[in-house]
Amino acid sequence: MNPTFHSVPALKELFAADFKIGAAVNPTTIRTQKALLAYHFNSLTAENEMKFVSVHPKEQTYTFEDADRLVNFAREHGMAMRGHTLVWHNQTSDWLFQDRQGAAVSKEVLFGRLREHIHTIVGRYKNEIYAWDVVNEVIADEGEALLRTSKWTEIAGPEFIAKAFEYAHEADPQALLFYNDYNESNPLKRDKIYTLVHSLLEQGVPIHGIGLQAHWNLYDPSLDEIKAAIEKYASLGLQLQLTELDISMFRFDDRRTDLTAPEPAMLEQQAERYEAVFRLLLEYRDDISGVTFWGAADDYTWLDNFPVRGRKNWPFLFDAQHQPKAAYHRVAALAAEQRA
Ligand code: GLA
């Protein structure tokens, strides 16, 4: 018989001396994955429930029920909570950028609204949320431009980034404030993220960490690229967290849809990959304060529909029945070996 998730050592205990072990959750998974979460994880992130459009759909309307539910779950289980996310180009309500006639607001109005939003949400969870992803994904993936074009840059230029960190710091001076992005190990994007954060630090902006989303797959990015990214970011003197880790079974441009279960070779490859990744994370444990998976077990992952609609994926350490996979066993053995 295979061991069940509660007959093996808890991930959070195995890495207690190294970093927090987190999972992204939503109101469904805190029910369907409750026992698994409580046993293995000591940090949570709201998958969608704290994003702008979720908490602030209309100018005078805040909707905190779902976010509160997740925060209460974390409190009841003695878990840390990360906040995600204050400024993003996606899942942000249109009203924020418009006046009543639908024309773009001025920079001053936008900043006033942003400040009010940040003070309200960061203030509300001041005692529960220890770290915030303040700004998410503003770097352009390709080309020369540093920032992606968005409503934020169109109305306010680059200044919204510093403002968001300043407002968050005012609202909760204790909170650790992160810049968070994906493709963070790609050398071109890595250097741009470094440039942005370096300039924020030079301006005296209150920023304390960089979130490496770490939406990776069996093949990419290479370990050398991950290592180089960690070293470059750590050279800024900030703490690092993996904020959205998953290891997809498919290359990003792989369109195959024929599998209904992972092939044994894939599971083995994933186990090797997770072991190698965690070996690297342990090497940089002094710089890394948290490792959060973008989910907890293979029964629920955003990758089930992205980027190929309807295709299932199996990116985690626990399978769809919440049982530990080969990847869990390799990571656990590695942790035990480190402690020995
Ligand atoms: C980005 C965001 C997350 C989430 C994922 C996809 O990484 O930061 O909040 O939306 O995309 O699920």
Side-chain angles (χ1 to χ4, degrees), residues 47 51 84 88 91 136-137 180 213 215 244 294 302:
E47 185 186 15
K51 290 173 180 172
H84 176 82
W88 195 22
Q91 291 178 256
N136 199 32
E137 305 184 350
N180 192 48
Q213 288 190 4
H215 290 297
E244 306 186 13
W294 204 242
W302 71 296

Side-chain angles (χ1 to χ4, degrees), residues 111-127:
F111 286 170
R113 289 176 175 178
L114 178 63
R115 181 167 187 274
E116 190 272 342
H117 172 83
I118 289 180
H119 271 259
T120 303
I121 174 165
V122 174
R124 181 182 186 88
Y125 298 122
K126 213 173 172 157
N127 299 319

Side-chain angles (χ1 to χ4, degrees), residues 35-138:
L36 177 74
L37 291 165
Y39 185 78
H40 281 281
F41 298 85
N42 55 12
S43 178
L44 296 182
T45 303
E47 185 186 15
N48 289 299
E49 294 67 16
M50 293 183 189
K51 290 173 180 172
F52 202 112
V53 74
S54 306
V55 288
H56 202 172
K58 296 197 211 126
E59 185 160 13
Q60 310 300 341
T61 310
Y62 281 95
T63 43
F64 283 123
E65 293 78 10
D66 285 344
D68 284 355
R69 212 170 292 163
L70 305 181
V71 169
N72 290 340
F73 182 92
R75 191 191 313 105
E76 281 159 22
H77 292 88
M79 297 161 149
M81 185 96 202
R82 301 186 81 260
H84 176 82
T85 177
L86 300 172
V87 167
W88 195 22
H89 61 281
N90 276 328
Q91 291 178 256
T92 301
S93 321
D94 289 336
W95 69 259
L96 174 64
F97 305 105
Q98 294 169 1
D99 64 18
R100 288 214 185 82
Q101 285 69 48
V105 293
S106 68
K107 175 162 143 175
E108 289 67 34
V109 169
L110 181 61
F111 286 170
R113 289 176 175 178
L114 178 63
R115 181 167 187 274
E116 190 272 342
H117 172 83
I118 289 180
H119 271 259
T120 303
I121 174 165
V122 174
R124 181 182 186 88
Y125 298 122
K126 213 173 172 157
N127 299 319
E128 341 274 348
I129 290 186
Y130 82 100
W132 272 98
D133 292 329
V134 177
V135 174
N136 199 32
E137 305 184 350
V138 294

Side-chain angles (χ1 to χ4, degrees), residues 132-248:
W132 272 98
D133 292 329
V134 177
V135 174
N136 199 32
E137 305 184 350
V138 294
I139 296 293
D141 282 294
E142 314 274 347
E144 292 284 300
L146 185 68
L147 302 182
R148 81 167 66 236
T149 304
S150 68
K151 296 242 176 69
W152 291 104
T153 57
E154 281 165 13
I155 295 173
E159 206 187 326
F160 70 96
I161 301 169
K163 287 284 183 219
F165 281 96
E166 284 159 17
Y167 300 151
H169 189 60
E170 285 168 11
D172 182 0
Q174 311 297 328
L176 297 171
L177 307 181
F178 280 74
Y179 175 71
N180 192 48
D181 214 329
Y182 67 94
N183 284 351
E184 72 301 310
S185 300
N186 171 286
L188 176 75
K189 194 157 172 195
R190 172 199 73 204
D191 288 352
K192 291 193 206 177
I193 293 171
Y194 175 91
T195 300
L196 170 70
V197 175
H198 184 261
S199 92
L200 293 174
L201 287 167
E202 287 211 312
Q203 296 164 60
V205 172
I207 174 170
H208 312 107
I210 297 180
L212 294 78
Q213 288 190 4
H215 290 297
W216 297 336
N217 63 49
L218 293 183
Y219 313 94
D220 296 305
S222 73
L223 281 180
D224 286 346
E225 284 172 337
I226 299 171
K227 185 182 168 83
I230 291 173
E231 288 194 353
K232 181 130 195 180
Y233 298 143
S235 75
L236 290 163
L238 299 179
Q239 59 175 283
L240 311 182
Q241 295 199 356
L242 268 54
T243 52
E244 306 186 13
L245 175 62
D246 41 31
I247 297 190
S248 163

